[in-house]
Amino acid sequence: MHFKWKYTTPTSEQDKAAKILGEKINMSPLLAQLLIRRGITTESAAKRFFRPQLADLLDPYLIRDMDIAVDRLNDAMGRKEHILVYGDYDVDGCTAVALVYKFLQRFYSSIDYYIPDRYDEGYGVSRKGIDYAHETGVKLIIILDCGIKAIEEIAYAKSLGIDFIICDHHVPDETMPEAVAILNPKRPDDTFPFKYLCGCGVGFKFMQAWAKNNGIPFTQLIPLLDLCAVAIAADIVPVEGENRILAFHGLKQLNQNPSVGLKAIIDICGLSGKEISMSDIIFKIGPRINASGRMENGKESVDLLVEKDFASAISLAQHINEYNEQRKDIDKQMTEEANHIVSRLESQGHKSSIVLYDENWKKGIIGIVASRLTEIYFRPTVVITKSTDELATGSARSVTGFDIYSAIKSCRDLLINFGGHTYAAGLTMKWDNVREFRRRFQEYVEQHIEPELTEATLNIDAVIDFKDITKKLHNDLKKFSPFGPGNPKPNFCTIGVYDYGTSKVVGRHQEHIKLELVDSKSSNVLNGIAFGQSGSARFIKSKRSFDIAYTIEDNVFKKNQVQLQIEDIRPSTAN
């Protein structure tokens, strides 16, 4: 896969502004330019960016219904009602449930948690879950990372004398459930300044408000921030504003003093002693938390996240690690099957989107397959399987810049249920409607997507030479973290580099290239790794020059040295 490189040369005014800003914050004009590209143009804004302060978190009472939610929770505790914390079975939902349950349990004992079974109950609020709550004497359900569309289910709960407080971040419909309080920054009537909290983030704001109302010091919430960081990374929400503050301090907590459950996962996936990043959460911690919900029941992940005994936590972590290994095998098989179907469909038009369905695919894995296909083909993708004899369930993922939620909403008359946000969504329909859904969805995408959104594009932040890659530059770059949507890791480009003579193909299947490179303007030899790009090895060894796009990383094998993680390689135009 080769990318279209996109780079905008800074204007003379931007260069001048970067020089002035760089002098004020003791940073190179190159990195000051990166700040300006992120909309950070003043010394004070730069300081807030590099040193996010918990004191700058927004007042939780700015979220609509927050005062009502806090009052209802206080009433429940005062009347000694049984409370149920209910959440989705993905990372965001499980961490949200763990956060709210762990915090409230310190002050109130009549509280339990519940995660619906993906295969038996499906997504969101289920009648089975409500019946369980009724049978166990629950009077208040706090639901996290779902519930915004559960109109019928919440009406049913109300008929049984059960109230709901919804903490969600998915796009609401025109009509919302009859809950006591709905905490969701995406409500059209909500004026909370930051719209991109994850479900765990909304739960945290609820606990922040409740603690404030009850005179509990904010410091008692800080140990829960590791769960926020995990949710923010795994749910791929923008790492800016409120999320940047929560992620920054959550990573600090995760690295310095993680909760027992997360420490067990860190040990199991080989991250002990390493500085854990957002990338580690996305590729190692998150998949393990997700695995139990994908393979069996997500409650096992919450059991782990709230566990207080380390020996028990290690045992639970080993168990969900086994689920993750099983998930990988099924994921690989389903992705191969999906790729085979796509290759057959390539000649049949509809190049703007992918909709695949197979009644034998595992429901818990289709979201991963949709993500992989989107990454490979750069098209909005929906993967569908049978959930019952009559019903189908689907998972959708989008490319940057295209609102897949709106595309699905355009087919709502074919759907029983759907929900999500701009880049990820889920849906349920009758199996008989799948073909018509595919036709309508693909028609909508073709009419609304800009052609360039389906191209593999790599945004280049700066064109530099190897002599620019100093220890100070590398250390200053680290200050830009945590990275994610809204604050991507900077991509650099160097023109006219050469193989030093020692580059070689590596990997179990000889799929990667380990490089030693020099450029034409210095004698610096830099190490690099190009994952999955062994197809370029022959050209690299031909002694001709080439251009590279890359990020600058720590060399995990040589302390205090950098390594270039090479995203793309192309022949120099001078060749």
Side-chain angles (χ1 to χ4, degrees):
M1 169 67 67
H2 288 284
F3 293 86
K4 178 181 178 181
W5 295 9
K6 191 175 178 182
Y7 174 66
T8 304
T9 305
T11 64
S12 57
E13 289 81 7
Q14 287 172 326
D15 280 336
K16 185 178 177 182
K19 186 173 184 300
I20 294 168
L21 180 60
E23 287 171 355
K24 287 180 178 177
I25 61 173
N26 188 30
M27 195 167 275
S28 70
L30 168 66
L31 295 188
Q33 190 68 255
L34 298 189
L35 288 175
I36 290 170
R37 285 178 185 268
R38 284 161 170 72
I40 299 161
T41 57
T42 65
E43 182 181 1
S44 60
K47 286 179 177 176
R48 285 196 302 275
F49 178 78
F50 289 128
R51 293 192 291 275
Q53 301 295 312
L54 289 169
D56 290 334
L57 286 172
L58 294 164
D59 181 353
Y61 282 97
L62 294 173
I63 297 176
R64 188 176 180 87
D65 281 4
M66 186 62 82
D67 53 343
I68 301 170
V70 169
D71 286 347
R72 181 63 185 89
L73 179 54
N74 283 334
D75 287 345
M77 290 180 168
R79 294 197 289 257
K80 294 186 167 44
E81 293 177 353
H82 192 41
I83 299 170
L84 187 66
V85 185
Y86 188 123
D88 188 22
Y89 35 62
D90 69 359
V91 178
D92 192 13
C94 288
T95 52
V97 167
L99 186 151
V100 171
Y101 175 78
K102 283 176 74 173
F103 189 63
L104 292 181
Q105 193 195 33
R106 294 172 57 187
F107 307 98
Y108 189 71
S109 59
S110 188
I111 187 167
D112 197 3
Y113 57 87
Y114 187 91
I115 302 290
D117 185 293
R118 184 192 295 261
Y119 297 96
D120 184 35
E121 298 168 74
Y123 171 79
V125 186
S126 71
R127 286 215 167 206
K128 181 179 178 180
I130 293 168
D131 288 340
Y132 167 82
H134 183 56
E135 289 160 12
T136 54
V138 167
K139 294 297 179 186
L140 175 65
I141 294 177
I142 300 170
I143 188 156
L144 297 135
D145 193 35
C146 54
I148 197 64
K149 292 196 170 185
I151 294 171
E152 291 180 11
E153 293 81 2
I154 289 176
Y156 172 61
K158 192 173 180 181
S159 74
L160 298 175
I162 300 171
D163 285 340
F164 265 80
I165 294 172
I166 297 173
C167 303
D168 205 350
H169 70 122
H170 296 100
V171 179
D173 259 342
E174 290 77 11
T175 304
M176 293 188 291
E178 288 188 63
V180 169
I182 298 176
L183 310 179
N184 186 338
K186 290 195 178 78
R187 284 178 62 164
D189 57 352
D190 192 294
T191 57
F192 190 66
F194 187 75
K195 300 296 181 187
Y196 304 108
L197 291 170
C198 60
C200 188
V202 178
F204 181 84
K205 298 306 288 185
F206 183 21
M207 293 301 95
Q208 184 189 358
W210 183 80
K212 185 176 180 180
N213 179 264
N214 286 277
I216 299 164
F218 180 83
T219 51
Q220 295 198 31
L221 285 161
I222 291 175
L224 301 168
L225 289 172
D226 54 3
L227 292 165
C228 283
V230 170
I232 289 165
D235 219 52
I236 318 182
V237 290
V239 187
E240 54 192 17
E242 196 87 345
N243 283 342
R244 181 170 174 81
I245 299 171
L246 293 172
F248 181 90
H249 289 278
L251 279 174
K252 190 176 176 183
Q253 186 72 26
L254 194 63
N255 280 289
Q256 295 178 1
N257 190 23
S259 63
V260 169
L262 285 172
K263 176 69 171 71
I265 300 175
I266 289 166
D267 283 9
I268 289 294
C269 60
L271 289 172
S272 292
K274 182 182 181 300
E275 184 74 15
I276 297 168
S277 66
M278 298 291 269
S279 181
D280 292 320
I281 295 171
I282 292 168
F283 294 109
K284 295 189 175 181
I285 296 172
R288 284 165 172 82
I289 296 172
N290 252 336
S292 65
R294 293 191 187 283
M295 303 303 297
E296 293 292 338
N297 190 305
K299 186 175 182 295
E300 293 182 51
S301 288
V302 182
D303 293 342
L304 170 59
L305 294 174
V306 303
E307 181 57 58
K308 296 174 183 175
D309 177 70
F310 188 66
S312 299
I314 283 289
S315 176
L316 289 165
Q318 286 170 338
H319 194 49
I320 68 168
N321 195 55
E322 289 167 11
Y323 283 144
N324 195 49
E325 293 303 313
Q326 295 168 26
R327 186 273 305 165
K328 284 190 212 173
D329 291 340
I330 298 171
D331 166 10
K332 184 172 182 289
Q333 178 190 339
M334 282 173 56
T335 301
E336 286 173 356
E337 290 173 5
N339 270 319
H340 183 65
I341 296 170
V342 174
S343 64
R344 286 206 328 263
L345 295 173
E346 285 289 278
S347 61
Q348 297 178 28
H350 294 302
K351 295 294 180 75
S352 298
S353 63
I354 296 170
V355 180
L356 302 182
Y357 52 92
D358 187 308
E359 63 181 52
N360 297 312
W361 283 340
K362 192 171 179 70
K363 187 162 70 168
I365 310 296
I366 56 175
I368 300 176
V369 176
S371 293
R372 295 204 194 290
L373 294 176
T374 303
E375 290 165 7
I376 294 167
Y377 298 101
F378 289 88
R379 295 179 226 168
T381 299
V382 185
V383 179
I384 302 168
T385 189
K386 262 194 175 181
S387 55
T388 68
D389 288 341
E390 294 183 357
L391 297 182
T393 188
S395 201
R397 299 293 183 271
S398 193
V399 294
T400 301
F402 182 76
D403 184 352
I404 203 164
Y405 180 85
S406 294
I408 291 168
K409 189 176 180 180
S410 73
C411 307
R412 67 182 307 159
D413 57 300
L414 298 172
L415 306 176
I416 294 169
N417 195 11
F418 70 100
H421 40 80
T422 305
Y423 296 124
L427 54 145
T428 305
M429 72 187 94
K430 289 183 178 177
W431 182 256
D432 292 344
N433 286 342
V434 168
R435 289 195 178 190
E436 178 61 12
F437 169 81
R438 179 171 69 174
R439 185 191 71 77
R440 295 248 305 268
F441 176 86
Q442 291 184 324
E443 186 178 81
Y444 180 96
V445 175
E446 292 212 353
Q447 289 173 0
H448 291 84
I449 199 165
E450 298 294 331
E452 60 267 23
L453 297 182
T454 60
E455 295 177 343
T457 302
L458 194 62
N459 290 313
I460 305 296
D461 290 273
V463 179
I464 63 174
D465 300 320
F466 283 179
K467 63 180 171 53
D468 298 317
I469 305 174
T470 62
K471 188 173 182 179
K472 176 169 170 43
L473 178 99
H474 185 217
N475 288 335
D476 284 346
L477 263 178
K478 291 179 183 178
K479 297 175 185 175
F480 280 72
S481 67
F483 298 111
N487 183 42
K489 187 172 284 188
N491 283 314
F492 298 100
C493 164
T494 299
I495 305 297
V497 304
Y498 296 86
D499 174 28
Y500 188 61
T502 48
S503 298
K504 59 184 178 181
V505 174
V506 296
R508 185 182 298 174
H509 304 292
Q510 300 287 283
E511 68 270 44
H512 315 308
I513 316 173
K514 189 174 185 299
L515 301 127
E516 286 193 316
L517 302 172
V518 292
D519 70 356
S520 56
K521 296 183 180 178
S522 72
S523 57
N524 294 4
V525 180
L526 289 180
N527 293 304
I529 184 75
F531 293 112
Q533 297 182 61
S534 57
S536 297
R538 182 174 293 181
F539 181 85
I540 288 168
K541 301 299 287 184
S542 70
K543 298 186 179 180
R544 287 179 286 177
S545 70
F546 50 96
D547 306 337
I548 54 172
Y550 55 90
T551 59
I552 300 172
E553 312 287 347
D554 284 312
N555 189 322
V556 293
F557 300 109
K558 295 180 181 177
K559 228 174 182 182
N560 299 320
Q561 285 194 22
V562 303
Q563 177 173 269
L564 309 183
Q565 183 165 314
I566 296 168
E567 304 296 327
D568 201 21
I569 299 167
R570 68 183 188 189
S572 290
T573 52
N575 285 324

